[in-house]
Amino acid sequence: MKTATIAQATYGTFVEQVKAQKVQRATLRPHRIDYTLKPTFGFKRFYTTPPVGNTDDIPALLRQHQVDVVTPPDNASAMAGLMGLLLSTGALMGTVAWALKNSPGGSAMGVGKTKARTYSSPNPTKTKRGSKTTVTFADVAGVDEAKQELKEVVDFLKDGAKYRKIGAKLPKGVLLVGPPGTGKTLLAKAVAGEANVPFLSVAASEFVELYVGVGASRVRDLFNKAKKQAPCIVFIDELDAIGKSRGGGSPHGGNDEREQTLNQLLTEMDGFDENSGVILVGATNRPEILDPALKRAGRFDRQVLVDRPDRSGRLEILQVHARGVLMAEDVDLGAMAVQTSGFAGADLANLINEAALLAARHDREAVIMADFYEAMERVVAGLEKKSRILSPMERKTVAYHEVGHAIVGALMPGGTKVAKISIVPRGKGALGYTMQTPQEDRYLMLEDELRGQLATLLGGRAAEEVAFGKVSSGASDDIQKATDLAERAVTQYGMAPELGPIAFAHNQSDFLGGDTTRRPMGGEAAAEIDRLVKQSIHQAHEVAKAVLMLNRELLDAMAQTLLQEDVLAGEQLKDMLDQAQAPVNTQIWLAKGRVV
Ligand code: ADP
Ligand code: MG
Ligand code: ZN
């Protein structure tokens, strides 16, 4: 997690800040006060005072200035006197909710009662044969980044006091986002299993019923249940079923029932304290259609990407699912991992199961590699129908394309670093991606950097030309971006000496983004702008091609490695890119926009 820094403040400063209405929350400890400023007052938000002697008049002061008072439960009795004074303010609701511990969920069900299933995790050391074993992080593989983020949630559920003591706020809601079958549901269960807390799970589609109002009352019921069982996890799967943007959609002016349900969900989320110990986990594979209100601060304010695994991730997943299956000696899961690019976790689980079924059908005692190959054909056929995997030629094209971006990008100025190249297909349409990370915050783009970025954008297309002598449709987004950038350089940033610093387009508010609208102008000026845009794109394209022809061997080597590994990052990527060489004229072009 991002660690909060805690600064020292004197008692006098504290009182001053309270009076200035700057303090959001204070935790009164027997001998000191920890407090948090409102978000608007600076980056350093967490403070602690040195030992404070007489605190008698603090509660009244805090009440007068609307400060939330948190009482640490571990020394609640020491604070009993203060609490007596403060209860009337209602500021202690969160703490009170926390104190109401596990009462196993009844399952009375009826109209308006939620169908949430509660799985109380059994004591892991005492799991007997036949009783339900809990899912843990060990069962989820190949999604390390998502797991890392969720470990924090587990830690909070296990040891909430530690976080409250320091004044850290945990997200109320975590949204797992990713393509189908990547393990979102599995991960949510693993969080509950790891934390050993009750797991209330419900699919959002279950909320949406025939009768208006039923969904909303189910949501209310779910949260009531959750508060009684805190600390616990409430998991809402397929959140998009109720979370679609309001307003748009149905020709009859929207779906009242769904909207009511969504509104109730929003109300409930706002109505519980982040310290209540209820953590909401949502999952969706369509984050783009969710109502923005759901993603606001204090709701599902943290998104965790659960993506398709790379080669090493696939191997781990295969190993997880191979645990209970008898395998012959010739089975090489590593080789299967190489050949299953684009598979999600569920597809890999399916592959192992298909292979096992085939082995059984052939009356074998263990699965052999031939079963895997046969299973592979079946699974791939199914996936191809859903157009979720690429043909070998497509993968090769994507690999060269992305390496092209990376090599050109590595040689261009601008303080960005190529951090990662991937050809694991991403959620929406992207077949691969090259990630550049800035080394520092930048607010201006210099002329040479802008040219460098143009060349980098065109590096993908250029690599296809250099390697295959023909191009694919995969560069359309790059070409769009490059054209926009070149046009803005000429019409907004005044970077074409032929025209000088004249704005030919309306200013846009956001830096290097947004649409441009050209100012009304004579045909001659418009033609000149087009010529200059065309010229700078053409030159950037030529430079990108020259770079890749000069580094042809590196291009081939990197593309081959990428085809093997799916992902190139870290030292390996850096070592390779360090070998890239710039053609002689590059510096001149970057500086002048011409190569002579
Ligand atoms: P999602 O909710 O993202 O659609 P699920 O969690 O329902 O995916 O995954 C379905 C099944 O596929 C899981 O129960 C598990 O058997 C397998 N699976 C998916 N992802 C993984 C993973 N990362 N590691 C291990 N198994 C996985
Ligand atoms: Mg799911
Ligand atoms: Zn591209």
Side-chain angles (χ1 to χ4, degrees):
M1 75 179 290
K2 292 183 193 71
T3 44
T5 45
I6 301 174
Q8 287 280 341
T10 64
Y11 179 61
T13 312
F14 169 66
V15 172
E16 254 168 50
Q17 287 175 325
V18 170
K19 287 182 179 163
Q21 307 279 15
K22 288 186 180 176
V23 176
Q24 179 171 37
R25 195 154 35 126
T27 308
L28 304 177
R29 302 190 185 280
H31 297 293
R32 65 168 212 270
I33 299 164
D34 297 339
Y35 66 100
T36 309
L37 293 186
K38 291 178 185 167
T40 30
F41 296 102
F43 294 113
K44 273 196 200 145
R45 293 184 49 211
F46 303 107
Y47 291 85
T48 184
T49 65
V52 178
N54 182 0
T55 54
D56 288 352
D57 47 355
I58 294 175
L61 182 77
L62 297 181
R63 195 168 30 185
Q64 190 189 337
H65 293 281
Q66 288 97 40
V67 178
D68 280 347
V69 176
V70 182
T71 307
D74 39 352
N75 40 29
S77 54
M79 291 285 107
L82 290 176
M83 281 177 76
L85 284 170
L86 285 161
L87 273 173
S88 57
T89 68
L92 287 165
M93 295 249 294
T95 327
V96 174
W98 181 271
L100 298 169
K101 276 257 181 164
N102 301 14
S103 57
S107 56
M109 215 193 288
V111 174
K113 288 278 184 193
T114 172
K115 291 179 195 159
R117 292 161 294 270
T118 309
Y119 305 102
S120 284
S121 36
N123 185 336
T125 54
K126 288 236 175 109
T127 308
K128 287 216 185 86
R129 253 178 13 139
S131 71
K132 203 187 249 168
T133 40
T134 342
V135 178
T136 68
F137 279 149
D139 300 308
V140 197
V143 286
D144 293 341
E145 283 159 40
K147 263 203 253 182
Q148 201 53 43
E149 295 229 28
L150 290 169
K151 280 202 177 118
E152 200 179 311
V153 173
V154 170
D155 203 30
F156 179 71
L157 287 164
K158 273 185 175 163
D159 190 7
K162 181 173 89 187
Y163 286 85
R164 282 193 307 278
K165 212 183 263 171
I166 214 163
K169 255 192 186 174
L170 245 95
K172 264 189 198 173
V174 178
L175 186 59
L176 305 175
V177 172
T182 46
K184 297 180 293 297
T185 305
L186 195 64
L187 264 172
K189 284 185 188 160
V191 170
E194 291 280 336
N196 206 20
V197 299
F199 179 69
L200 281 75
S201 142
V202 72
S205 54
E206 292 173 29
F207 284 135
V208 187
E209 296 264 325
L210 220 45
Y211 306 107
V212 172
V214 173
S217 92
R218 283 200 175 142
V219 170
R220 214 174 304 127
D221 182 56
L222 171 67
F223 277 82
N224 283 338
K225 244 184 175 178
K227 281 176 208 160
K228 282 184 201 136
Q229 299 191 41
C232 68
I233 288 183
V234 174
F235 177 54
I236 304 184
D237 210 349
E238 302 152 32
L239 190 62
D240 38 282
I242 48 167
K244 269 186 219 134
S245 276
R246 287 164 292 189
S250 142
H252 308 295
N255 178 335
D256 276 352
E257 167 63 357
R258 213 196 58 228
E259 280 187 23
Q260 270 194 28
T261 310
L262 173 59
N263 286 334
Q264 187 63 38
L265 178 63
L266 295 174
T267 310
E268 294 289 348
M269 288 191 82
D270 294 341
F272 74 88
D273 190 82
E274 63 269 5
N275 284 334
S276 66
V278 177
I279 291 202
L280 213 59
V281 179
T284 181
N285 42 40
R286 306 179 67 193
E288 69 283 355
I289 66 164
L290 286 190
D291 196 299
L294 273 171
K295 298 183 225 167
R296 232 165 263 153
R299 292 173 182 162
F300 285 104
D301 44 13
R302 186 176 295 193
Q303 288 203 19
V304 174
L305 180 68
V306 188
D307 218 337
R308 294 201 185 99
D310 60 11
R311 184 195 54 81
S312 65
R314 291 196 298 273
L315 178 58
E316 284 172 36
I317 296 175
L318 286 169
Q319 283 163 345
V320 164
H321 288 277
R323 281 191 307 217
V325 179
L326 287 175
M327 300 277 179
E329 295 229 319
D330 75 325
V331 169
D332 181 355
L333 292 180
M336 287 327 288
V338 171
Q339 291 170 52
T340 44
S341 185
F343 278 43
D347 307 326
L348 294 167
N350 187 15
L351 175 68
I352 297 237
N353 193 49
E354 284 285 333
L357 288 174
L358 285 167
R361 193 169 312 148
H362 289 114
D363 295 322
R364 274 193 271 279
E365 291 186 354
V367 181
I368 60 172
M369 199 59 176
D371 296 324
F372 268 102
Y373 285 123
E374 202 179 331
M376 194 53 187
E377 278 172 28
R378 296 182 178 199
V379 177
V380 167
L383 292 176
E384 267 169 357
K385 263 192 224 137
K386 298 182 210 153
S387 70
R388 272 192 11 215
I389 51 170
L390 301 176
S391 73
M393 189 57 214
E394 285 169 329
R395 277 188 84 229
K396 205 170 159 190
T397 305
V398 176
Y400 272 90
H401 178 105
E402 297 305 332
V403 172
H405 283 307
I407 292 180
V408 177
L411 294 170
M412 296 299 147
T416 57
K417 190 177 112 200
V418 180
K420 185 175 175 184
I421 319 176
S422 162
I423 55 168
V424 181
R426 276 253 164 162
K428 251 185 94 189
L431 302 176
Y433 63 93
T434 302
M435 196 171 86
Q436 280 188 309
T437 49
Q439 307 288 75
E440 53 188 295
D441 283 349
R442 293 298 301 269
Y443 302 99
L444 286 172
M445 189 185 269
L446 299 172
E447 207 180 345
D448 59 337
E449 293 168 356
L450 191 142
R451 291 192 189 103
Q453 190 163 354
L454 276 183
T456 306
L457 282 167
L458 295 168
R461 159 61 60 99
E464 295 177 35
E465 290 167 90
V466 169
F468 310 116
K470 58 185 175 192
V471 298
S472 75
S473 60
S476 66
D477 188 49
D478 301 332
I479 291 172
Q480 185 70 51
K481 283 195 186 124
T483 310
D484 290 348
L485 187 60
E487 170 132 350
R488 277 199 301 272
V490 175
T491 61
Q492 286 183 49
Y493 312 145
M495 284 180 181
E498 294 86 340
L499 294 170
I502 298 171
F504 290 94
H506 293 290
N507 262 346
Q508 296 298 308
S509 50
D510 50 340
F511 175 59
L512 300 183
D515 300 327
T516 46
T517 33
R518 281 194 191 177
R519 186 180 87 167
M521 69 185 91
E524 216 173 295
E528 178 68 354
I529 289 170
D530 285 342
R531 192 183 68 79
L532 291 168
V533 169
K534 221 188 267 171
Q535 183 183 306
S536 65
I537 296 230
H538 175 73
Q539 285 175 347
H541 184 204
E542 289 301 316
V543 168
K545 271 201 294 195
V547 166
L548 294 170
M549 282 191 289
L550 183 67
N551 294 284
R552 179 62 202 264
E553 278 168 27
L554 181 63
L555 175 65
D556 289 336
M558 287 183 70
Q560 281 313 317
T561 318
L562 191 56
L563 284 167
Q564 277 280 321
E565 300 289 325
D566 276 342
V567 173
L568 272 176
E571 284 299 306
Q572 190 189 14
L573 176 62
K574 187 180 170 298
D575 287 347
M576 292 182 126
L577 289 176
D578 280 348
Q579 298 167 35
Q581 290 171 351
V584 280
N585 290 336
T586 311
Q587 288 309 323
I588 303 173
W589 171 73
L590 285 168
K592 298 186 184 168
R594 290 179 271 113
V595 279
V596 280

